[in-house]
Amino acid sequence: MVSKESCRSELRTAIHQLNDRCLHSASRWAAEQLVGIEQDPAKFTPSHTRFQRGSSSIRRRFGPSDLPSTPVGGALYVATPVHEEDDSADNDFYLLAKAYFDCKEYRRAAHVLRDQTGKNAFFLRCYALYLAGEKRKEEESIELEGPLGKCDAVNRELTSLENELSKQWKNETIDPFGLYLYGIVLKERGREDLARTVLVESVNSYPWNWSAWSELQSLCSTIDILNGLGLKNHWMKDFFLGCAYQELRMHNESLSKYEYLQGIFRFSNHIQAQIAKAQYSLREFEEVEVIFEELLRNDPYRVEDMDMYSNVLYAKEVFPALSYLAHRVFMTDKYRPESCCIIGNYYSLKGQHEKSVMYFRRALKLNKNYLSAWTLMGHEYVEMKNTPAAVDAYRRAVDINSCDYRAWYGLGQAYEMMCMPYYALYYFRKSVYLQPNDSRLWIAMAQCYETEQLHMLEDAIKCYKRAANCNDREAIALPRLAKLHSELGRLEEAAYYYKKDLERMEAEEREGPNILEALMFLATYCRSQKKFEEAEVYCTRLLDYKGPEKEIAKSLLRGMRTSQSGLTSTEAEHFPP
Amino acid sequence: MAGNVKSMGAFALTPHKVALCALMQMYVPSAENAVPTPFPSVSEHNCLGLFLLSLAKSCDNVLEPNLDKLVTQLKEIGGLVNQWISQDLTCRLSSLSTPDDLFNLFSGLQSVLGGNGARFGLDDSILLDPNSQLGIFVRRCILAFNQLSFEGVCHLLTNIGTYCKESPASCSTYQSLQDDDFDNDSEELKAFDHLLFGKIIADSKVLSGLNHDKERYFDVSSSNDGLGTDDYSGSLFLRTNWQVQGYLREQADLIEKHGSSYPFNAFESILNRLKKLAPELHRVHYLRYLNTLYHDDYLASSENLLRYFDYSAGAEGIDIALSSFPGMSFGRYEIALLCLGMMHCHFGHPKQALEVLSEAVQVSQQHNDDTCLSYTLATICNLLSEIGILNASGMIGSSSMVAATFGSSLSIQQQLLVLLTRSLKRAESLKLTRLVAANHLAMAKFDLTHVKRPLLSFGPKSSLNLKTCPSNVLKELRLSSYLLSEFGSDGAPLTIDGAFSTTWLKNLKKPMASSIFLHENELGSRNNTFQYDAQPSPIHGSVLHLAGSSYLLRATAWELYGSAPLARMNALVNVTCFADASSSADVELGYVKLIQSLAIFKGYTEAFNALKVAEDKFISVSKSRIQILKLQLLHDHALHQGNLKLAQRVCDELGVLASSVTGVDMELKADACLRHARTLLSANQYGQAAAAARSLFFMCHKFNLQVVNATTLLLFAEIHKRSGSAVLGLPYALASLSFCQSFNLDLLEATATLTLAELWLSLGSDHAKRALTLVNRALPIIFGHGGLELCSRAYMTVAKCYLSDPSFSVYDDPEIVLDPLRQASEELEVLEFHELAAEAFYLKAMVFNKLGRLEERDEVAASFKKHIILLEEDRIYFSVTC
């Protein structure tokens, strides 16, 4: 285990360094984690803090050679020297440029630094140019075309930046931050392999830049790539792995990583949100809700990840909480895609699908690669019975990220609605492949097989079996399995599933027509199998209900008793004592 | 579609259009002379006018030329004046440096347009009629400019800046920056350019009726690009949406024709580029599907097919209609099902195909899409006839729809017939001419091999009217080709009709629907002079294809009927006249037929030579028929030579080919069985040969393969003849004979007659007369249509008849015997048929011996010895290994 102290001191230094380079979101992240570290009350003494502060200043003064940032488990963790500082940070021009940069005047900042030679200045100039290009690109894509259509706006600075950075890279005069920027540029130029190499180099020499990690994560589309990265051990790697596992849908692995990290960063909102995300993917809604409630208590103006919370509230149909959340994020920042998405969810729950589509569109206008908005908009179109539009929306989601099982599922559903079950199967298969532990997907697929058109009952049975094995909350699979088996004349299997269903319903204390059906079947089945005692039990249970079943049960009981007495009498004749 | 705010045809102001507007201003100057100042003559002025007109007409482009290109064209069309004009144009454009300049340009443009006639008559100044092509163009530009936001104006300004800068000088620096990334692409891009420009050259030839200036203009554009200016960024000349779509359609045709030999990667990169340039052009996904389909990439092709239909909803450009009426239209997803079904057919998943197609039937019924319905029915017919009957029997029942429609009691053939007639009727009532033609073809194909009525009691009866008669088949074929010619003369309305017809036209075999959606679009652009004309001949390629395959069917009909020359002729017609239009599979079949006839008439040496040529030609075709043909030829050859071991091995290989993964090919299976029995017969294993023939007979009976049955009966007769029990052979020969008569298998009938004669002959010399009469009856057909083997057999029989006739004396007229024997031995030597050749030489030697012509006798005897030794070698070898 890494010591909290070392983490803390590393993070503190990192925040300063990141801030110096205007890597604001990375420094924000680092600061969040810093605060997230649990304060040890025993050590929390003024002398201690003084020592800590002193030591960090000593470290800075003495340079990288004697930097003992190695955590306790030094054998496991590679010692990563705190990054060397550059004097150019104190240069007057640099200060001016940084001020401009902080005011989002990127070109001005770059201009001020045009003749500066220091590493920091070089990085800041490139970074400012990159951001200026990005900003222009965003504006252009809005100006040129409706943001929902495709647009070929590019960051015009990329080419020159790439040339400059690659020159530095080849001369090995580039620092980790430059590498990070080079990685981004390469990624946008579509040279992903090289981008990966460069980013790995960057995080290996300076692990505290979360932005670099998350860029790297977006380039790891398979587990093989992830395993072949060649990363040095550092506690930041655990954060990275947790995030990467989550994207690769290895939710349990990611969960365990985060739980381990929570030992150090006990109060980290980031970790909490990530755990919520994993739990959400595992469909543990109750827990997700609890986590988010706590998150909102600690950090009431948080908008990040709140769309997931709204999804949970939507699924649980909690109107007041969802509307409260929508109102809150609206007041905080209405022009965030997440805010629009939450409002869209709210309207959808209210059944006002046109309005909901409008808000999803707005979310997409703000971020046209916002995956869940496309999918949710597809759901809305399905509700509005506009299947072609729904198909289009889902397809866009799938083309943005082909691992979005919800969109594949939506496509399947849309085609099933159009009476094309066989065609829909392809899409269901895709979604099931991506999310094999989701009973709803299996059930949808089974229902497809079951349709009158296809009538492929054997395949339907296979699907229902899978659904029953993966925690079928709505309890659809078991009764269907029983019914299908009884339709196919396999009474033994049917009885097995009816019994199982019955047990389940008893355990969950649910009532419904299913109980009657199961009891009826089991009663007749047991009678035909000559298990009269069992049959009697079922019949007597049936007597508790009203309706025709009661009468049937009565007559069954009567018949059994007479035949039983007859049987015993004949038995008696055959086998005299 | 839901997300598309902008419609596809929106008129966007581009630097190129601004340049055109500037040119318009020069074309219509404010001076009041009859001929505007810079122009020396009216004709030069008109020249520019025409040029502008042609550019204005093609303003709905995907890509536009850069200024450089425009200037070069300008210089080419006119003399010095245009030089001046182009300089002026460059000047004007590069002087546009502030948004205000643009405002001034467009407000000045207003004065170019004439008012409502008031100013027309008064002065002589030339003004554009606001309702003319040019006038409309200018008005659209002005409107578009007025609607622009300030951001839009800024964008236009930057774009004009780059547009002007892209002159050769600055271009090279631009290039150097881009070089390293685009190295890989540039080759293909050049190919892309070349393809497109090659097309324009072709166009210019087609459009030769247009006036001189325009043609020259075309030549200019094409020759320029032919040189391959290196900068790709702006070099592509004006190509309208229709042009690109036409290009894509042509590529689709090419892919289908060449199949797997089509360059995959090159085209893929072109498609990638197209997708980037024109994201709304969903057809790119379709082309990608075709490309992957023919390169047998199942996953990618299904992925692309589904993506195409997800985006396009079965109709290109449905977006606009849909977003304005949400929930009202459905999209034509049944076409998606049809295409998916055909894809499964292609990959040999008959079961999935049937499921998908029955779903297509249902959906199209639900949405009253009769056209799609009839196409789907025809596809199902095709599927049924494609996959082996063995496979289908278990399969049809599983699909509830098909079973429900036909009742499961019907046999596959009956189901097929019912479907065929139904689809034919439907196509006729919908006036889908091409489909009708295709259906007629399918019907003719069915007639060729199937008896239309189930045989209740086995055996030939005169009441059975079989349609194997070529005349009947040809009637169907003529009907279809009649329809085809009708189509050729009157294509336009039918193209809409046959919305996704192409599918079809590939002998109902190849999954494709490329021309489907294009036609509709293209109609809109009929009056466009720049129309991309992908079909230089008036008849559509697919129609030609259909006509080509009708010739192949004719060939088959004649083959069965027994007329080799006619069959060969038809195959020749197919190969020579329709080779361009047909799919490679069809051409291959034509070659196969020709080689077969070569083997029969010219012997194996020539056939194998021809085969080698064909093999090289069709090396890339998967599921090759050439492979099968090669095995068949090898088998025949081995059998004749007496190399039985080889024959047996080849025969086994054929049997394996017959039952592929896709399904059992009944025809091939029957052929393999027949060959197996023949091999055994040659090895004198009579019992085993008879057993093999019997199982074959049962199989044919079970699956109604009537034509093979006749052959099998004949084989029985042959077995009995060789085993020495001629009496037992007679009924078989007779049965086969009457079979042939009722099935119109004339050549086979002649063969049966010959066998009958041989049987009679082997019963003893008393029957020689009768045998001779029989042979004589068959001779005309045998000599007219029979191959080498049959002819020589007939010659031998004739000679033997004479020789065994007690009343015949060799001394009276030796030539009457010697002549046929000579003929027979010559032909048999060509054929390398050792056994019969030996016999012929033996008979000849005996005759010479009788006649006392000893020298000739010895010579002939030596030949006899040679053949016998060759034969014995192989046979001993075989019996040892057996």
Side-chain angles (χ1 to χ4, degrees), chain B residues 650-701:
Chain B
V650 171
C651 194
D652 289 344
E653 267 180 58
L654 266 178
V656 171
L657 278 183
S659 334
S660 64
V661 194
T662 332
V664 181
D665 185 341
M666 285 310 291
E667 260 171 67
L668 195 57
K669 190 173 168 70
D671 185 64
C673 291
L674 201 63
R675 282 169 193 277
H676 179 60
R678 285 225 173 95
T679 317
L680 289 171
L681 177 61
S682 305
N684 295 332
Q685 315 272 355
Y686 303 120
Q688 284 181 37
R694 199 168 302 123
S695 71
L696 173 63
F697 185 80
F698 287 143
M699 189 179 83
C700 297
H701 183 54

Side-chain angles (χ1 to χ4, degrees), chain B residues 154-188:
Chain B
C154 291
H155 269 286
L156 189 58
L157 207 60
T158 10
N159 287 344
I160 290 174
T162 32
Y163 179 70
C164 293
K165 255 186 246 160
E166 274 170 10
S167 56
S170 57
C171 175
S172 55
T173 57
Y174 182 55
Q175 183 90 42
S176 70
L177 286 178
Q178 306 265 325
D179 254 354
D180 28 14
D181 315 301
F182 291 96
D183 256 358
N184 326 331
D185 293 353
S186 61
E187 275 305 304
E188 284 141 15

Side-chain angles (χ1 to χ4, degrees), chain B residues 23-67:
Chain B
L23 279 176
M24 298 279 183
Q25 254 178 343
M26 285 180 247
Y27 175 65
V28 189
S30 49
E32 295 184 5
N33 306 325
V35 179
T37 15
F39 295 100
S41 70
V42 178
S43 78
E44 290 216 22
H45 189 229
N46 286 344
C47 224
L48 178 65
L50 278 171
F51 176 66
L52 284 177
L53 191 64
S54 62
L55 287 179
K57 273 182 177 174
S58 57
C59 61
D60 291 321
N61 45 356
V62 173
L63 287 168
E64 291 177 328
N66 59 8
L67 180 60

Side-chain angles (χ1 to χ4, degrees), chain A residues 143 361 392 399 415 422 453, chain B residues 1-2 155 310 359 362:
Chain A
E143 288 162 18
R361 276 178 172 279
D392 189 83
D399 279 351
Y415 281 110
Y422 196 84
Q453 267 167 286
Chain B
M1 68 212 65
H155 269 286
D310 283 348
E359 200 163 291
Q362 241 161 13

Side-chain angles (χ1 to χ4, degrees), chain B residues 639-642 644 681-684 686 722 796 828 832-842 864 867-868 870-872 875:
Chain B
L639 218 52
H640 284 162
Q641 282 188 320
L644 297 180
L681 177 61
S682 305
N684 295 332
Y686 303 120
R722 300 240 340 209
M796 295 271 292
L828 288 168
E832 298 169 66
F833 195 163
H834 297 317
E835 194 178 0
L836 269 189
E839 197 179 342
F841 282 118
Y842 173 75
F864 167 71
H867 282 289
I868 275 293
L870 279 173
L871 183 64
E872 280 307 310
R875 184 150 300 165

Side-chain angles (χ1 to χ4, degrees), chain A residues 54 67 71 83 91 117 149 168 177 181-182 244 247 341 408 419 458 512 527 553 565:
Chain A
L67 277 181
H83 188 71
N91 184 312
T117 47
Q168 290 252 345
F177 302 99
L181 189 58
Y182 188 35
E247 287 303 314
C341 205
W408 286 114
C419 298
E458 294 296 335
R527 201 187 64 149
S565 56

Side-chain angles (χ1 to χ4, degrees), chain A residues 140 143 148 150 163 189 361 386 388 391-392 395 399 415 418-423 426-427 430 453-454, chain B residues 1-3 151 155 181 279 303 306-307 310-311 326 330 333 336-337 352 355-356 359 362-363 366 400:
Chain A
E140 259 181 13
E143 288 162 18
L148 303 185
K150 292 173 189 169
N163 284 335
R189 300 282 285 171
R361 276 178 172 279
N386 186 355
V391 163
D392 189 83
R395 174 49 89 170
D399 279 351
Y415 281 110
M418 289 187 279
C419 298
M420 295 160 76
Y422 196 84
Y423 201 80
Y426 174 86
Y427 296 104
K430 276 262 184 194
Q453 267 167 286
L454 291 181
Chain B
M1 68 212 65
E151 286 97 328
H155 269 286
D181 315 301
E303 175 73 16
L306 294 176
R307 178 177 286 134
D310 283 348
Y311 275 131
F330 170 74
Y333 291 101
L337 286 169
Q352 278 103 314
E355 288 288 356
V356 173
E359 200 163 291
Q362 241 161 13
V363 174
Q366 216 170 330
S400 54

